[in-house]
Each structure stands twice: as structure tokens, then as C-alpha cells.
Amino acid sequence: MEKMWAGRFSKALDKIADDFNSSIHIDSRMYRQDIKGSMAHAAMLAAKGIISKDDSDKIIDTLGDILSDIDSGKTEIDFNAEDIHMFIEAELTSRIGDIGKRLHTARSRNDQVALDIRLYLRDETEEIISLIKALIKAIAGKASENKDVIMPGYTHLQRAQPISFAHHILAYAMMLVRDIGRLEDAAARMNFSPLGSCALAGTTYNTDREMTAKALGFDGYTLNSIDGVSDRDFVIELLSALSTVMMHLSRFSEEIILWSSWEFKFIELDDSYTTGSSIMPQKKNPDMAELVRGKTGRVYGDLFTILTILKGLPLAYNKDMQEDKEAIFDALDTVKVCLEVFAPMIETMKTIPENMEKAASGGFINATDLADYLVKKGMPFRTAYKHVGEIVAYCIKEGLVLETMPIEKYKEFSPYFDNDLYDEISLVSCVKKRISAGGTGEDSVLKQIEFVTEFLNA
Ligand code: ARG
């Protein structure tokens, strides 16, 4: 295929160099965005009298045909083309000849590609947000079903204080709500059209960038043409938000993996989201969660790819930037597939409340509550803390737990202790009594579910 820029050259590009230079295997997936951008550009060229209305109409109609022909498979993308922009233009010209050759007036592939990526990312961001919402919904559903299930809350992976299972998983819902906020922020900052920046310096034609920006649903256009074609900060911002999404999914995965082990057995994943072993017949492995945890590294890597590509580039466009697409698409695909598998995995997982409660019982997890009991009877917290520490040490030595140590023994440590202490340190009341805003108490959990539900309905 002869290059569009062949005029200046006396020899064809070397075959290996040609393949090396080509990006169509990667960027062909932006054909829809490329065509939409070209349609808006052609309409503007006519409105400003740069090309005739007839030519513009012909270009726009034919681009519409090309779009539906690619969609339907009638037209196949030619992977010998240099990139998707060149392919669409060549296809247009092959269909309508010289008229098609007028499309690239007052435009460059540099603003074209900067535009296509933004349009592509805008669509994808929307899709990812709705996938995150589906996951939040699954979490809220599981939380509602398990409002009264008590589990150990951990710090340092040591049993710390009893909490409700609902409270624990709702923490992830809150993180995901913020993730959506980050994605929306990134999308809003991204939503300025670079089209019309041309190669780098703008153009001698009297173009209307406001018109194309509006037609393509942007909030405005980039004010500096060099910035418009050179920066990919919006990619970095988006991939950074996606890395945070993956970080959250990865932590959740880690817990799901732990919870499904025989050591914990707090949950059982559905058969449809687990796998067996090729040799050990008893195995039921949480592969989906492990893969999500593993793929998190990939998305971080994609972010670093973009950061590294850009760090030494002089303004304006450099071919290095062609390398951004593979990382962008990989990050988007990875996050989407992880979210797609995660929501139903959560939805279908069974909780095993007996095991959670067993793990929370008898392990001094209510020691804080015992100290609070003394405080409520008038003892300063630090003194109460010290007494309870001594009681725990005693219990460990004697093979007792707080629930079973007799009241006479308690009284030897402090006269403040009375029979009502046993009720105060029961797991149920430990959770119930945590009435502070945002705590694990019932009102707070209900409020969280309500917040999340309202967020999803908004
Ligand atoms: N395929 C190129 C890319 O993705 C398009 C821009 C090429 N511009 C140029 N001046 N060679 O970056």
C-alpha cells in the first residue's frame, strides 16, 4: 500500500521498519471514534466555507457508510495500513476519490489521535463506572443479608474487636464510591477537544473549534494547540484512578482468599467462581480472586508505561506516544474483566456466620469492651486498660477466657466488677454498643446501606 506521505520519498519503507512503525493492530479499535471525529470536522469545514457543503455532505455520508460497514463486518480493516486514521481516510478516498482527499484540510493525525483517545476513554470510563456500580450493588445486597452476622475485626491480622460482616464489606463499597468520584473527576478534566490543534501550531484556516467541540460532546476545546497534541496527562489520571480501583479489588480479593481457606472458612465461593486442582481432588480454589489480585500489577505497570513514555519527551508530538495505546487498552480491558467477574462472585458467595462468630469468640476480642465497662463505672481509661491487660495475662496463664472467668476472680482485680459485666462483653452487645457515627453499630450500618443505595439511584 503506497503511503500517503510517499511524495517526499524516493524509496519505499523497509518491510520490517514498516511493520515496526504500524500501530493499526492496536489502534483499530478506535475506528468508531475516528469516524465520528472526522464527521464533526467535515461539517465544520463546510460551515466555515473551507470545503463545499456538497463535498462535506458526501464525506459525512460516506463515513457513515464506512462505519456501518465496519460494524457489520462488510468492510474489513486492512492491517497493512499504518494506523486507523490512515485506513479510514484511504477507505473514504477509495470510495469517493478526490472529495475524500479534502477531509484532512486543517487537521493533522496529531490532533486526530489526541481526539480519538479522549473520545474512546470517555466511553470506556462510563462503562467502567457502571460496572463499579454493579459491584457496589452486590456488596450492599450481601451486607443487607448479613447485617447481624458477627465476625472478628482485625488489625495486624490479629483479632481486634468484633464487628458485623456487613460493616466490614461496606468499607469496600465506600472505597468504590470514591473510585467513581475519581473517574468522574478525570473524565471532566479530560473533556476538552484537541481537534483543530493540527500538527502543533494551529492552522491558517479560519476553523471553528467551538463547533467541533460541541458536536462531539466536549465542554470546550484545549486553549493551547501544543498542549492539545502533546500531553497525555488525562491518560495518566485515568490509569491512576484505575490503579486505585484495582488496589481496592486486590485487597478485597486477598480477604476473600483468606476467608475461603479452611483456616477461616468464613465464606464459601460459588462453584461457578472457583476451580479444582489437576491433582488434589479435595481442592476448591479461589482463582478469580487470585487473578484479580495478580492483574492489579498489570494495571500498575500500564500506568508506569505511560508515565515513562512521557517523561523525557520534548514538545510537541513524538512517535513514542504511539506506544500509549497498548497500555491504555490493556488497563481498560483488565479492569473491566475484573469487575465483570467480581460482582457476581460477591453476589453468589455464601457466608458462614457460625464460623465467623466462633472466630470472634473466646479470643479476648472483647477486652476493649471490658475496659470500657470499668470506665463507665467511673475508672479512668488508662487504669481500666491496665487492669484488663493483667486479667488477659491471667486468663492466658490459667486457660480461661473473659466470658468464663468467675466473678469472684474479677473482683480480686477490681471491686468495680459486677455480674452485669458478662452481658456487657457478649459479642452481640459489643457490636450493638458501638453506636458512634460510622461505627459497626446497627444504625450506622443501616445508614451506610441507605447511603450506598441512594448513590446508586442518583
Ligand atoms: N498512529 C499515531 C499515534 O498513535 C498517529 C499520529 C501520527 N502522527 C505523526 N506525526 N506521525 O500516535
Side-chain angles (χ1 to χ4, degrees):
M1 187 190 256
E2 184 175 272
K3 300 288 180 210
M4 279 181 195
W5 36 258
R8 191 225 175 280
F9 295 81
S10 51
K11 255 168 99 176
L13 189 59
D14 170 79
K15 171 80 180 84
I16 293 174
D18 194 13
D19 289 346
F20 185 64
N21 187 49
S22 164
S23 61
I24 193 155
H25 284 278
I26 307 295
D27 59 32
S28 62
R29 63 158 100 183
M30 299 193 302
Y31 72 88
R32 199 166 285 122
Q33 289 74 19
D34 196 74
I35 290 174
K36 292 219 162 109
S38 290
M39 286 170 153
H41 183 65
M44 182 279 291
L45 290 177
K48 297 300 285 181
I50 300 168
I51 64 173
S52 73
K53 176 90 174 70
D54 283 353
D55 286 354
S56 169
D57 287 348
K58 189 100 196 125
I59 290 171
I60 292 169
D61 283 352
T62 313
L63 285 170
D65 295 343
I66 296 173
L67 178 57
S68 54
D69 289 350
I70 298 176
D71 276 342
S72 70
K74 197 169 144 200
T75 295
E76 274 178 30
I77 290 172
D78 177 1
F79 289 101
N80 290 310
E82 190 175 322
D83 56 29
I84 190 61
H85 326 293
M86 290 296 209
F87 169 73
I88 301 289
E89 199 186 326
E91 181 65 24
L92 179 71
T93 304
S94 85
R95 293 191 187 199
I96 54 174
D98 277 355
I99 297 174
K101 292 184 186 171
R102 295 191 188 279
L103 171 64
H104 210 57
T105 316
R107 188 177 72 168
S108 152
R109 265 189 300 160
N110 298 349
D111 55 344
Q112 208 179 339
V113 70
L115 171 75
D116 292 1
I117 302 173
R118 280 171 170 90
L119 291 174
Y120 190 86
L121 289 182
R122 195 168 69 191
D123 294 345
E124 293 281 305
T125 305
E126 225 172 272
E127 204 182 321
I128 288 175
I129 287 174
S130 63
L131 288 169
I132 298 177
K133 284 186 175 167
L135 175 55
I136 295 175
K137 190 166 172 224
I139 295 172
K142 226 4 82 168
S144 299
E145 286 166 26
N146 290 276
K147 276 199 304 283
D148 302 321
V149 174
I150 295 175
M151 68 177 277
Y154 298 84
T155 63
H156 313 268
L157 204 53
Q158 302 284 322
R159 291 170 188 168
Q161 291 174 345
I163 53 173
S164 79
F165 180 74
H167 191 54
H168 190 102
I169 61 171
L170 281 165
Y172 287 110
M174 300 301 161
M175 298 173 200
L176 292 166
V177 166
R178 283 195 302 280
D179 282 333
I180 290 180
R182 268 182 283 272
L183 288 168
E184 285 171 344
D185 287 351
R189 246 186 308 280
M190 180 179 359
N191 206 30
F192 290 87
S193 169
L195 185 59
S197 299
C198 305
L200 77 162
T203 178
T204 54
Y205 297 95
N206 178 29
T207 51
D208 186 348
R209 294 189 60 201
E210 179 78 41
M211 180 185 168
T212 46
K214 225 189 206 146
L216 293 165
F218 286 103
D219 294 324
Y221 56 85
T222 54
L223 285 181
N224 180 303
S225 58
I226 300 175
D227 170 48
V229 292
S230 300
D231 209 356
R232 296 289 183 267
D233 57 350
F234 57 95
V235 175
I236 293 172
E237 207 177 345
L238 189 74
L239 261 54
S240 144
L242 293 179
S243 296
T244 309
V245 172
M246 289 304 293
M247 179 274 291
H248 288 145
L249 295 187
S250 187
R251 289 184 82 168
F252 203 173
S253 296
E254 168 65 13
E255 299 212 279
I256 285 167
I257 294 159
L258 275 177
W259 292 344
S260 4
S261 70
W262 281 104
E263 282 69 16
F264 280 80
K265 263 286 167 263
F266 287 0
I267 58 159
E268 184 170 356
L269 291 174
D270 194 73
D271 281 0
S272 46
Y273 293 94
T274 44
T275 61
S277 154
S278 62
I279 170 170
M280 297 165 281
Q282 83 284 12
K283 290 295 282 291
K284 183 171 171 185
N285 297 326
D287 288 29
M288 307 308 134
E290 291 169 77
L291 279 170
V292 170
R293 192 176 56 184
K295 285 176 190 291
T296 301
R298 257 175 96 138
V299 177
Y300 292 2
D302 293 327
L303 169 62
F304 263 80
T305 298
I306 310 284
L307 284 167
T308 313
I309 286 171
L310 290 174
K311 75 178 271 291
L313 293 187
L315 302 180
Y317 178 85
N318 299 267
K319 191 75 172 209
D320 314 43
M321 289 158 82
Q322 178 164 285
E323 284 293 306
D324 62 358
K325 254 83 70 205
E326 210 167 340
I328 295 172
F329 298 153
D330 183 68
L332 294 169
D333 293 349
T334 305
V335 171
K336 280 196 295 185
V337 73
C338 288
L339 287 165
E340 272 163 18
V341 79
F342 218 95
M345 179 178 73
I346 297 297
E347 223 167 81
T348 54
M349 88 183 176
K350 273 205 275 298
T351 51
I352 310 176
E354 316 83 86
N355 290 349
M356 294 193 211
E357 236 165 270
K358 206 159 96 203
S361 315
F364 307 103
I365 202 165
N366 42 10
T368 316
D369 298 83
L370 189 62
D372 286 341
Y373 169 87
L374 292 174
V375 170
K376 280 172 195 154
K377 299 252 164 164
M379 194 181 277
F381 180 75
R382 271 292 158 240
T383 316
Y385 173 93
K386 183 163 176 284
H387 280 314
V388 174
E390 287 158 3
I391 292 170
V392 168
Y394 175 81
C395 281
I396 291 170
K397 197 166 104 235
E398 298 297 318
L400 292 168
V401 292
L402 297 180
E403 290 94 322
T404 57
M405 190 168 93
I407 187 65
E408 299 73 41
K409 199 71 219 169
Y410 269 110
K411 284 190 185 292
E412 285 176 25
F413 285 93
S414 164
Y416 284 76
F417 284 121
D418 224 327
N419 269 316
D420 57 348
L421 80 87
Y422 296 103
D423 205 39
E424 283 289 293
I425 63 168
S426 79
L427 289 183
V428 173
S429 72
C430 288
V431 173
K432 247 204 182 92
K433 278 183 305 160
R434 287 212 159 50
I435 50 165
S436 59
T440 190
E442 197 183 351
D443 283 354
S444 154
V445 167
L446 289 175
K447 197 169 173 182
Q448 294 175 56
I449 294 174
E450 195 184 298
F451 166 79
V452 164
T453 312
E454 268 171 26
F455 174 82
L456 293 175
N457 293 335

